[in-house]
Amino acid sequence: MTESDPRVEPDRGSDYARLSRRVRQAGLLNRRLRYYGWRIAVTAAALAAGWTAFALIGDSWWQLGTAVFLAVIFAQFAFLGHDAGHQQIFRTRRANQLLGMICGNLGIGLSIGWWVGNHNRHHANPNTEGADPDIMGVLAHSSVRAAASHGIRRLIFRYQAWLFFPMLFLEAGSLHTASVRALARRSTPYWGREAALLGTHAALYLSAVFLVLSPAKAIAFLVVQQALFGFYMGCTFAPNHKGMAVLPTPGSTDFLRRQVLTSRNVHGGWLTDAALGGLNYQIEHHLFPSMPRPNLRRAQPLVAAFCAEIGVPYCQTSLLGSYTQALRHLHTVGRSASAAYSSRNSTN
């Protein structure tokens, strides 16, 4: 078909509408069941292999190696839960929800209902003060928030660039705690089912660890496995938005610019894609959250070209470069807390 062909939908409307048409016409929103079929099968087999090795190795300090392996596999289950939560895998919401509960609640002990609600707020207003829960936590992402801090929070903000990676070892504990609190408040649509699956995970996980290992080895296993799981998850999230534009209020710009200007891509090959669960295509993912993971790589050149066409900056860097940019930003913001503290002291 040529551009004059009447079957071609005219390229009109908002910038996002124009890009969305091009993406749909390229078939990039089509389901990829075969890809997810083998991805789920391989991940489930790896989990089974990990726990089989755990049972065979027995009461040994070599189990710390198993803990490292299972930390990686837990993260891969989290990526599948993420994709299911975004309705990327199946056509029906119910099927995606079921898979999300199996991967999240039963597989790794995280509430998929709590996560979806929290994550949808992030997607609606990424890097937006007062609206994005991901930037309203223990770290400051804007000088305004850092300068207004007091007490222990100000101290954390002041040294947040140095504390960032060490704090990631606590991320899994934070996620588990938030999941339990959400289910205890019955704040998720299917809290009863989720609680049952979460309880089943905890019972099986803790029973296996403490039945096979001595108390000291069991505690060491739990600490290593959960700390590395949280660290891995944090390292996949860190490149996505930290150091990108922080918006003052919701709706301060249109949808396309809100998603592109606050997001950063990480380039690389298949290993980067697998290690980061496709989240390295953060711009494409934010523009089209329901796009199946394997299509994000194919959409990247199309989206980058469109952004160049309309004059919107498109940020893409290496994994190391993304961490450098994120830490530099956290350090700069942290200096605002120091400056504000010094100013108050000099005034007093």
Side-chain angles (χ1 to χ4, degrees):
M1 293 187 293
T2 65
E3 291 186 2
S4 60
D5 194 309
R7 288 174 293 173
V8 175
E9 193 171 358
D11 204 16
R12 63 185 177 218
S14 69
D15 289 334
Y16 181 72
R18 292 164 55 207
L19 174 61
S20 184
R21 278 194 291 272
R22 297 182 190 185
V23 165
R24 285 199 307 271
Q25 288 167 0
L28 296 175
L29 295 179
N30 295 343
R31 302 296 172 187
R32 296 290 299 275
L33 287 178
R34 183 176 299 177
Y35 166 86
Y36 278 111
W38 72 258
R39 171 70 66 179
I40 292 169
V42 168
T43 306
L47 182 68
W51 284 116
T52 299
F54 178 86
L56 293 175
I57 292 171
D59 188 19
S60 167
W61 286 108
W62 286 108
Q63 292 286 20
L64 296 184
T66 311
V68 174
F69 177 78
L70 287 174
V72 174
I73 301 306
F74 270 38
Q76 293 299 319
F77 264 84
F79 295 147
L80 286 172
H82 168 272
D83 293 0
H86 278 297
Q87 312 299 309
Q88 293 179 13
I89 302 177
F90 301 110
R91 293 189 180 278
T92 67
R93 182 173 296 274
R94 185 171 184 175
N96 282 304
Q97 198 168 60
L98 177 60
L99 179 62
M101 287 185 186
I102 293 172
C103 291
N105 296 68
L106 182 61
I108 59 177
L110 300 180
S111 165
I112 190 68
W114 163 78
W115 177 84
V116 167
N118 196 68
H119 196 61
N120 284 345
R121 289 167 57 203
H122 158 70
H123 266 263
N125 291 287
N127 270 24
T128 304
E129 290 280 13
D132 181 0
D134 287 4
I135 68 166
M136 300 306 293
V138 70
L139 302 178
H141 293 264
S142 71
S143 298
V144 173
R145 185 168 184 237
S149 61
H150 299 276
I152 187 64
R153 188 178 292 273
R154 181 184 62 219
L155 186 64
I156 293 174
F157 290 169
R158 189 174 182 180
Y159 298 105
Q160 62 182 4
W162 298 97
L163 295 172
F164 175 67
F165 281 112
M167 285 193 298
L168 291 183
F169 288 107
L170 305 175
E171 180 66 16
S174 175
L175 294 172
H176 290 308
T177 300
S179 295
V180 171
R181 285 177 176 172
L183 295 180
R185 294 194 302 265
R186 304 184 180 184
S187 58
T188 66
Y190 301 98
W191 64 269
R193 300 176 198 175
E194 286 202 62
L197 291 173
L198 203 68
T200 301
H201 166 85
L204 293 175
Y205 179 77
L206 294 175
S207 295
V209 172
F210 281 97
L211 285 174
V212 171
L213 302 178
S214 66
K217 293 187 184 75
I219 292 172
F221 178 92
L222 291 173
V223 169
V224 171
Q225 199 269 331
Q226 290 295 313
L228 290 181
F229 167 50
F231 183 80
Y232 184 2
M233 293 304 297
C235 285
T236 64
F237 300 150
N240 301 340
H241 302 283
K242 289 175 176 59
M244 299 305 295
V246 176
L247 305 179
T249 57
S252 55
T253 186
D254 65 275
F255 179 81
L256 184 144
R257 286 162 180 80
R258 181 163 71 249
Q259 304 301 333
V260 175
L261 296 178
T262 59
S263 303
R264 178 195 295 111
N265 274 19
V266 174
H267 58 67
W270 67 269
L271 182 59
T272 302
D273 293 0
L276 299 184
L279 297 177
N280 47 313
Y281 301 105
Q282 192 67 194
I283 294 174
E284 289 70 32
H285 172 58
H286 262 258
L287 288 170
F288 303 99
S290 64
M291 180 181 289
R293 191 195 310 181
N295 290 350
L296 294 170
R297 171 180 278 273
R298 295 169 54 203
Q300 189 276 326
L302 188 156
V303 173
F306 184 82
C307 287
E309 179 183 322
I310 63 175
V312 173
Y314 181 99
C315 181
Q316 184 170 224
T317 186
S318 65
L319 184 60
L320 181 60
S322 71
Y323 291 138
T324 301
Q325 292 176 22
L327 290 176
R328 186 180 295 124
H329 174 75
L330 291 175
H331 177 69
T332 300
V333 171
R335 290 173 62 184
S336 300
S338 299
Y341 177 69
S342 300
S343 176
R344 291 191 196 106
N345 282 349
S346 62
T347 301
N348 296 334

